[in-house]
Amino acid sequence: MAPTSPRLPAPPKDTPTFSPEKTSVVYVLGGPGAGKGTQCANLVRDYGFNHLSAGDLLRAEQDREGSEFGQMIKDYIKDGKIVPMEVTVQLLENAIQDINGGEGRFLIDGFPRKMDQALKFDESVCPSKFTLFFDCPEDVMTERLINRGKTSGRADDNEESIRKRFKTFVETSMPVVEHFEKQGKVVKVMATKSPDEVYEEVKKAMGQRGFQMKQ
Ligand code: C5P
Ligand code: MG
C-alpha cells in the first residue's frame, strides 16, 4: 500500500478532530532512553492501546519517497532538535485517523516535546487524558542509548547527538511536563529499575487514572 501523504498544512480549526469521549490519548514522555518504547509495548499488550511514536512517524516520513520534508526532518533529528510542530502534529493526526477512524486508546510516545506541540494537539486533534512521565537520570539513559546504538541503526544514537538530545529535553521538553503537572495531569514513574519493575509502577498509575486491563 502506498504511504499516505501528510496532507499539509491543516487549516486552523476551533474544535478537536477527535472527541475525548471516543478517543483516549495518553502522552508518554521521558528523556531519550528512559524506556518509553519498552513500557508502551507492555501497555499495548495488556490494555489494548494503540502505540504511536512521534519519532518513528518522523523517521518514516523522512524515508518516504517524494516527501518534501525528508531532508529537513533528517537534519533536525541528527541535531536533536524539535521538528516544526505542524509536521509532527499532522503525521499523528493522520496516524490516529488511520486506526479505526480514531476510536480507542492511543499512547502518543515522545510527544509533546515542546509547548507549541502540546497546545496545538490538545486544541486541534484531541485533548489528552494525562501524561505518563518516565523520570530517569542522564547517566542511566546514556548507557542505555549507547547500548541501543550498537543495533538500532539510528543516526542519533551516538555520543554527540545524545548530548544534544539531553539538552533539548531539559530546555524544551521539561517545560511541557511542568505545564501539565500544574494541571494535575502528570503521573511520574521512576524509570531506573528493570523493565518489569518499572511496569509494576506503570500499572498502578494506569489504575489510578481509571484505565483497566483488557480481559
Ligand atoms: O522519540 P525519539 O527519540 O524517537 O525522537 C527522535 C527525534 O525526533 C527527536 O530527537 C527529535 O529530533 C524528533 N522529534 C520531534 N518531535 C517529537 C518527537 C521527536 O521533533 N515530538
Ligand atoms: Mg522511542
Side-chain angles (χ1 to χ4, degrees):
M1 202 176 71
T4 43
S5 99
R7 304 191 283 268
L8 288 169
K13 52 191 165 62
D14 306 328
T15 45
T17 305
F18 305 104
S19 128
E21 279 83 52
K22 291 186 177 164
T23 308
S24 291
V25 164
V26 174
Y27 294 143
V28 182
L29 288 178
K36 302 183 292 292
T38 303
Q39 296 303 328
C40 283
N42 290 333
L43 290 167
V44 167
R45 184 193 59 219
D46 296 339
Y47 289 79
F49 273 99
N50 299 291
H51 176 223
L52 295 175
S53 153
D56 287 351
L57 288 170
L58 286 166
R59 283 183 286 272
E61 177 64 17
Q62 169 198 294
D63 295 338
R64 188 174 66 85
E65 212 174 305
S67 169
E68 58 182 299
F69 306 109
Q71 190 57 47
M72 188 257 302
I73 293 173
K74 202 176 199 155
D75 295 341
Y76 273 83
I77 288 183
K78 187 92 200 292
D79 249 0
K81 287 196 301 214
I82 305 300
V83 174
M85 61 117 179
E86 288 79 6
V87 175
T88 315
V89 170
Q90 192 63 50
L91 288 170
L92 282 168
E93 179 169 351
N94 295 352
I96 294 172
Q97 181 66 50
D98 287 346
I99 300 173
N100 197 27
E103 279 190 32
R105 296 173 165 182
F106 293 86
L107 294 169
I108 314 282
D109 169 1
F111 181 95
R113 294 262 257 279
K114 192 172 171 179
M115 267 319 292
D116 63 353
Q117 298 183 341
L119 299 175
K120 174 86 175 164
F121 189 96
D122 262 8
E123 199 179 279
S124 75
V125 182
C126 186
S128 63
K129 297 283 186 267
F130 69 98
T131 296
L132 190 55
F133 172 56
F134 291 102
D135 199 3
C136 197
E138 282 190 11
D139 55 343
V140 176
M141 294 194 284
T142 306
E143 200 187 313
R144 290 178 185 171
L145 290 172
I146 298 285
N147 266 323
R148 184 174 79 181
K150 291 175 191 159
T151 55
S152 71
R154 279 181 52 160
D156 59 352
D157 281 343
N158 59 74
E159 265 183 66
E160 193 189 344
S161 291
I162 290 169
R163 235 188 345 268
K164 292 178 177 171
R165 288 157 73 197
F166 283 154
K167 186 169 152 56
T168 300
F169 178 70
V170 171
E171 291 175 1
T172 312
S173 306
M174 276 314 288
V176 176
V177 177
E178 285 150 19
H179 164 79
F180 286 125
E181 219 159 22
K182 282 189 204 127
Q183 302 176 349
K185 285 175 75 175
V186 174
V187 180
K188 193 187 286 198
V189 172
M190 271 311 294
T192 31
K193 292 189 183 158
S194 72
D196 286 349
E197 288 169 305
V198 174
Y199 188 46
E200 288 307 312
E201 295 301 308
V202 170
K203 283 191 278 191
K204 277 187 219 155
M206 297 311 292
Q208 281 164 11
R209 294 283 159 156
F211 283 87
Q212 307 306 325
M213 282 201 186
K214 68 179 183 197
Q215 299 307 311

